[in-house]
Amino acid sequence: MKKFTFRWLKRFYILLAIKLVLLAVLLTSARILFISVADYKEQAIDWLTSEYQIDISVQDISAGIDFSGMVLTLNHVELLDSEYLPFVLKLNHLFLHLDFWDSVTAQKLNFNSISKQGAVLTVKKRDGKRASEKSQLTLNRLKNIFLTQLKKVSIRNSTLDFTD
């Protein structure tokens, strides 16, 4: 009985060690691919704007790994303002948390949560102006992104301003 338990325990530890090594290799290779994302800033921004069909400007882009997994970080993000858009949105940091397994199975990047830090939302006075078709599409896409597509949205250190 003792010999059987010892063999089983030994096999369990070997299997656990193999799984941990494979996980480390996978995470290291993903991190190596993600580290050079700044070199592809324009392509990443073009992908984001085409994927979500929203015009944004981004000063800096980086990627890394934190406790929740892989994170794409956009710094100093601004929603490109339409003349008829009822607000101005600026973000110090926008963190897109990658759903790794879902992205692998779907063979496209899928983000399961988003964190915004240092958001400044300035709501403008409407002055009786009618929303243009482009600004209405932008509003609908923002609703889709923030309210239906993402499982978790986090906003920290942000302000909401009204102008008249």
Side-chain angles (χ1 to χ4, degrees):
M1 180 73 176
K2 248 184 180 179
K3 197 171 192 177
F4 174 74
T5 306
F6 179 70
R7 273 195 225 161
W8 181 82
L9 197 57
K10 185 178 177 182
R11 286 181 184 172
F12 174 74
Y13 284 132
I14 289 171
L15 184 61
L16 181 65
I18 290 171
K19 285 184 178 184
L20 288 175
V21 167
L22 289 175
L23 181 64
V25 167
L26 180 66
L27 287 176
T28 301
S29 62
R31 186 170 184 176
I32 289 169
L33 292 174
F34 248 35
I35 272 184
S36 64
V37 76
D39 297 338
Y40 303 102
K41 176 184 169 187
E42 294 302 320
Q43 290 92 340
I45 293 169
D46 289 343
W47 175 81
L48 281 170
T49 57
S50 67
E51 180 74 18
Y52 295 105
Q53 299 170 348
I54 293 179
D55 294 328
I56 60 172
S57 70
V58 178
Q59 183 178 5
D60 183 36
I61 189 169
S62 63
I65 297 176
D66 70 357
F67 63 92
S68 67
M70 293 180 213
V71 179
L72 184 65
T73 305
L74 307 174
N75 297 313
H76 304 289
V77 178
E78 185 174 350
L79 181 64
L80 295 179
D81 193 17
S82 153
E83 180 182 342
Y84 297 104
L85 204 58
F87 58 86
V88 176
L89 178 62
K90 296 179 182 179
L91 305 165
N92 286 341
H93 307 287
L94 179 65
F95 304 101
L96 301 170
H97 302 268
L98 182 69
D99 187 344
F100 182 74
W101 295 117
D102 192 37
S103 296
V104 169
T105 57
Q107 295 182 351
K108 70 174 201 160
L109 293 176
N110 288 323
F111 300 100
N112 62 357
S113 66
I114 187 170
S115 300
K116 297 179 283 276
Q117 189 173 9
V120 178
L121 178 66
T122 304
V123 179
K124 302 184 295 188
K125 187 176 178 182
R126 297 284 295 211
D127 290 333
K129 293 181 183 175
R130 219 174 49 114
S132 68
E133 186 177 322
K134 182 180 179 184
S135 64
Q136 192 60 44
L137 284 172
T138 301
L139 289 172
N140 289 339
R141 289 178 187 132
L142 284 172
K143 288 178 195 175
N144 188 33
I145 291 169
F146 293 131
L147 300 178
T148 60
Q149 284 188 355
L150 301 171
K151 297 175 187 169
K152 182 180 175 185
V153 175
S154 167
I155 302 172
R156 292 181 295 243
N157 302 331
S158 300
T159 60
L160 176 62
D161 299 321
F162 294 94
T163 60
D164 56 0

